[in-house]
């Protein structure tokens, strides 16, 4: 079975993502690493404005791991308040994630 | 001042369940009032962890895939201010266009959300019209409330770390943010975030402002 999904930084002129498509579901550690990788791809200002959103994304991955992971289809958007659409998204498209 | 609804939805599971039901009834009512009561919809997202524990975090509080092949996802955020807080954007679920609404639920934000849902599903407007409606309804009111006049333009004063910016050039302001950032629109119509201390907002005579806005919208004067 293929497990597929992505973590994205969106809005405010930014569209960066880290994705997975593989036969084993990504673990909590791998999920957190993907978030870190995405954060490091952004400019300092784009990362700074999304700092809280990245924290919420990490918290979701941790919570998921404590509850057996998540099964597709899951879509979470962690928006930066007081902006129109600046956010960090987690999408589990097929299979399982964050076990 | 916003009149919040289901204020403690994240603290009380019974309130949360009522809140979920409120959104389902809202969508059903909007469809009925638009003579679309036969439009069917179903959830397309999983809102529980693998062990069955529900997220219960309002993200999303409602999601539905409609038979016109459009989707709606509503994210309800914890009220943190007395202001009307609502944002919306269009996304894509595989090939299905998705309207995402993020709000602090209040009587005022609910009215705007209702308008979005009605336009997207009941009136079946296309992506372009929906984007325009979102822009019209979610203009950054908070920033505008800080001044008596609407500041629509700013002069760039520096470009260190951001070589795409041109000092002394006038940029159209798309959005202020309290996090120390400003979103401006470049000459190609694309919007980008920059630190707000790279710009000085300016007030222009109305005729000049109208001319510049018309140019930015490619409207012949």
């Amino acid at each position: 079975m293929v497990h597929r999904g992505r973590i994205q930084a969106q809005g405010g002129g930014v569209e960066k993502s880290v994705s997975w498509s593989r036969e084993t579901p990504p673990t909590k550690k791998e999920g957190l690493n993907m978030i870190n990788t995405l954060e490091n791809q952004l400019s300092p200002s784009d990362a700074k404005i999304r700092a809280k959103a990245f924290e919420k994304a990490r918290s979701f991955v941790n919570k998921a791991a404590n509850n057996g992971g998540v099964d597709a289809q899951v879509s979470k958007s962690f928006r930066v308040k007081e902006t129109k659409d600046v956010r960090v998204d987690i999408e589990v498209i097929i299979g399982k994630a964050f076990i | 001042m916003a009149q919040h609804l289901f204020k403690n939805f994240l603290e009380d599971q019974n309130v949360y369940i009522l809140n979920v039901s409120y959104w389902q009834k809202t969508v059903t009512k909007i469809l009925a009032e638009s003579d679309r009561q036969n439009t069917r919809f179903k959830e397309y997202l999983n809102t529980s962890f693998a062990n069955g524990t529900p997220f219960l975090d309002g993200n999303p509080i409602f999601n539905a895939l409609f038979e016109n092949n459009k989707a709606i996802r509503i994210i309800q955020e914890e009220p943190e201010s007395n202001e009307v807080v609502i944002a919306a954007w269009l996304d894509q679920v595989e090939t299905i266009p998705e309207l995402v609404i993020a709000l602090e639920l209040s009587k005022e934000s609910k009215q705007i959300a209702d308008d979005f849902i009605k336009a997207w599903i009941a009136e079946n407007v296309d992506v372009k019209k929906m984007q325009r409606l979102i822009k019209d309804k979610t203009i950054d009111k908070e920033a505008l409330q800080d001044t008596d006049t609407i500041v629509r333009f700013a002069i760039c004063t520096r470009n260190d770390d951001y070589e795409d910016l041109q000092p002394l050039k006038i940029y159209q302001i798309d959005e202020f943010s309290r996090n120390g950032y400003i979103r401006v629109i470049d000459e190609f119509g694309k919007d980008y975030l920059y630190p707000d201390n790279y710009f000085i907002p300016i007030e222009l005579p109305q005729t000049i402002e109208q001319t510049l806005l018309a140019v930015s919208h490619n409207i012949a004067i």
Side-chain angles (χ1 to χ4, degrees):
Chain A
M1 183 187 180
V2 174
H3 302 268
R4 194 155 68 84
R6 61 186 171 184
I7 303 172
Q8 293 178 290
Q10 299 259 57
V14 169
E15 198 169 332
K16 301 258 185 196
S17 73
V18 175
S19 61
W20 69 90
S21 180
R22 43 192 265 188
E23 287 183 2
T24 54
T27 62
K28 164 186 156 180
K29 194 179 170 190
E30 288 169 325
L32 294 173
N33 280 343
M34 282 188 256
I35 294 172
N36 292 342
T37 302
L38 178 63
E39 196 171 20
N40 289 334
Q41 281 181 18
L42 304 181
S43 70
S45 63
D46 287 328
K48 191 180 163 195
I49 196 172
R50 288 173 179 77
K52 267 191 187 173
F54 276 116
E55 274 319 300
K56 285 181 185 173
R58 287 186 183 97
S59 168
F60 175 73
V61 171
N62 281 318
K63 241 184 228 174
N66 292 336
N67 287 281
V70 285
D71 294 311
Q73 187 164 347
V74 168
S75 187
K76 308 282 286 183
S77 291
F78 304 101
R79 182 175 74 98
V80 178
K81 278 198 177 180
E82 294 160 3
T83 69
K84 285 197 295 194
D85 58 359
V86 176
R87 64 193 191 272
V88 174
D89 292 344
I90 295 181
E91 289 175 33
V92 181
I93 300 163
I94 298 174
K96 213 175 180 72
F98 315 134
I99 51 170
Chain B
M1 186 168 158
Q3 299 177 68
H4 290 117
L5 307 169
F6 299 97
K7 212 171 173 178
N8 58 340
F9 75 110
L10 293 179
E11 290 143 32
D12 187 330
Q13 196 168 332
N14 292 325
V15 175
Y16 193 95
I17 291 164
L18 287 172
N19 200 159
V20 169
S21 164
Y22 176 77
W23 279 112
Q24 286 164 346
K25 283 177 187 163
T26 293
V27 171
T28 305
K29 191 177 167 202
I30 289 169
L31 291 170
E33 285 173 355
S34 310
D35 271 341
R36 300 245 177 177
Q37 55 270 35
N38 296 326
T39 302
R40 281 171 295 182
F41 60 90
K42 61 176 183 186
E43 287 196 345
Y44 62 102
L45 294 174
N46 191 353
T47 54
S48 296
F49 296 109
N51 67 1
T53 305
F55 297 161
L56 296 178
D57 61 356
N59 186 1
I61 194 141
F62 174 86
N63 74 90
L65 177 63
F66 295 81
E67 60 188 21
N68 62 353
N69 229 14
K70 282 179 169 179
I72 289 182
R73 173 159 54 104
I74 298 172
I75 301 162
Q76 191 172 315
E77 299 164 340
E78 190 169 22
E80 288 178 351
S81 73
N82 288 325
E83 288 153 359
V84 179
V85 175
I86 182 165
W89 60 89
L90 294 175
D91 212 331
Q92 194 92 8
V93 185
E94 300 289 323
T95 56
I96 297 164
E98 178 192 48
L99 168 66
V100 186
I101 300 169
L103 48 60
E104 290 180 5
L105 182 59
S106 63
K107 282 187 178 175
E108 299 78 7
S109 64
K110 165 77 166 31
Q111 186 57 55
I112 299 170
D114 284 1
D115 291 346
F116 289 160
I117 296 165
K118 187 178 174 190
W120 187 237
I121 301 301
E123 295 167 7
N124 203 19
V125 301
D126 61 25
V127 167
K128 210 171 178 182
K129 276 187 185 165
M130 196 64 219
Q131 280 169 334
R132 204 175 308 137
L133 181 66
I134 290 169
K135 192 160 187 157
D136 288 347
K137 297 258 183 186
T138 58
I139 188 164
D140 190 357
K141 296 178 186 74
E142 291 143 352
L144 302 182
Q145 282 162 3
D146 289 343
T147 59
D148 292 334
T149 53
I150 298 173
V151 179
R152 297 178 195 275
F153 294 94
I155 293 180
C156 175
T157 56
R158 53 192 274 207
N159 71 344
D160 39 304
D161 297 331
Y162 297 93
E163 287 173 5
D164 48 330
L165 285 175
Q166 290 180 39
L168 298 180
K169 184 176 166 182
I170 295 177
Y171 286 83
Q172 187 183 348
I173 299 170
D174 188 43
E175 179 188 35
F176 284 96
S177 161
R178 290 199 178 158
N179 299 324
Y181 289 81
I182 186 171
R183 194 201 303 254
V184 298
I185 300 170
D186 70 8
E187 61 272 32
F188 303 108
K190 295 256 182 192
D191 55 293
Y192 296 96
L193 272 178
Y194 297 101
D196 59 9
N197 58 1
Y198 281 52
F199 296 88
I200 298 173
I202 51 169
E203 286 178 37
L204 296 169
Q206 203 179 357
T207 50
I208 295 175
E209 191 171 281
Q210 281 172 351
T211 304
L212 293 179
L213 285 172
V215 169
S216 81
H217 288 96
N218 288 326
I219 299 166
I221 312 168

